[in-house]
Amino acid sequence: MALKIDYELTGTGWARCTVRPARRNFSFSVSYDSDALKCLVVAAIAMLGNTDRIAFYFDGHSSWWYWNIDQNSPTELTINISEIAPEVKLHKPGTGEETLSMEDGVKSVIEFKCKALTFAQVVHDAAANVKKTHGLKGYKELWANHDFPSHELQLLAKSIAASAKQTP
């Protein structure tokens, strides 16, 4: 399956993430209220390490973008991205703790399957492109709340190399 992920900083505190599995295309805005690029890189590392499931979210302009990644087999993932409208109450009953819940107001916007190594490679390429385009200083200026995930990107590169050696 052809997969591409583009991640572009579009202005101070804003980015656009575009996910293109096969012939589909889904794009959404991301705010620096979440460390979105780092979350994506860490998820790729985890899934190459045979984690069964990981979930995280990007804070967007008018919604949260909830990523749920499941490992179907040692090499295949199912990735689901859902939109959570801001008016949805996300609380654990009786505790007052916030939690993500698949209740009304949550809509799956795209779901696809891909190889774990493919996912890791496209995430690496997207992050490396951001670093090449903006540099560490430029990234910090535009994504003010968070530094570029340099250490995590290095770990991802090492994980990809190790996984590629094991893949026939």
Side-chain angles (χ1 to χ4, degrees):
M1 156 192 254
L3 173 65
K4 183 155 176 57
I5 296 176
D6 293 318
Y7 190 94
E8 333 167 46
L9 301 183
T10 57
T12 303
W14 292 101
R16 174 148 303 282
C17 183
T18 303
V19 180
R20 293 184 181 103
R23 292 188 169 101
R24 292 178 290 164
N25 185 5
F26 180 70
S27 190
F28 51 95
S29 65
V30 181
S31 161
Y32 66 179
D33 289 337
S34 56
D35 198 354
L37 188 58
K38 182 177 180 178
C39 288
L40 198 55
V41 172
V42 168
I45 294 166
M47 298 318 291
L48 272 184
N50 293 321
T51 298
D52 290 335
R53 181 179 204 185
I54 193 163
F56 57 94
Y57 74 94
F58 293 172
D59 196 344
H61 176 66
S62 59
S63 299
W64 288 348
W65 304 102
Y66 182 71
W67 293 63
N68 187 23
I69 306 173
D70 289 301
Q71 187 138 38
N72 303 325
S73 72
T75 61
E76 186 180 76
L77 307 177
T78 296
I79 300 174
N80 179 285
I81 303 172
S82 298
E83 177 181 17
I84 302 175
E87 65 273 3
V88 176
K89 303 280 190 250
L90 301 174
H91 297 282
K92 254 187 202 174
T95 67
E97 294 177 29
E98 288 189 3
T99 184
L100 293 176
S101 173
M102 300 309 252
E103 298 174 0
D104 292 339
V106 178
K107 175 179 73 170
S108 177
V109 292
I110 193 166
E111 182 172 294
F112 58 94
K113 295 181 186 313
C114 67
K115 301 289 184 192
L117 184 56
T118 300
F119 176 67
Q121 289 169 326
V122 299
V123 167
H124 178 275
D125 292 348
N129 187 53
V130 169
K131 184 178 179 183
K132 179 181 175 186
T133 302
H134 300 285
L136 298 179
K137 185 178 177 187
Y139 182 87
K140 182 64 175 177
E141 288 171 359
L142 287 171
W143 206 248
N145 287 358
H146 307 281
D147 292 325
F148 183 83
S150 295
H151 177 70
E152 291 80 3
L153 186 59
Q154 289 173 351
L155 287 175
L156 180 55
K158 289 178 183 176
S159 296
I160 290 169
S163 183
K165 285 181 184 176
Q166 296 173 359
T167 304

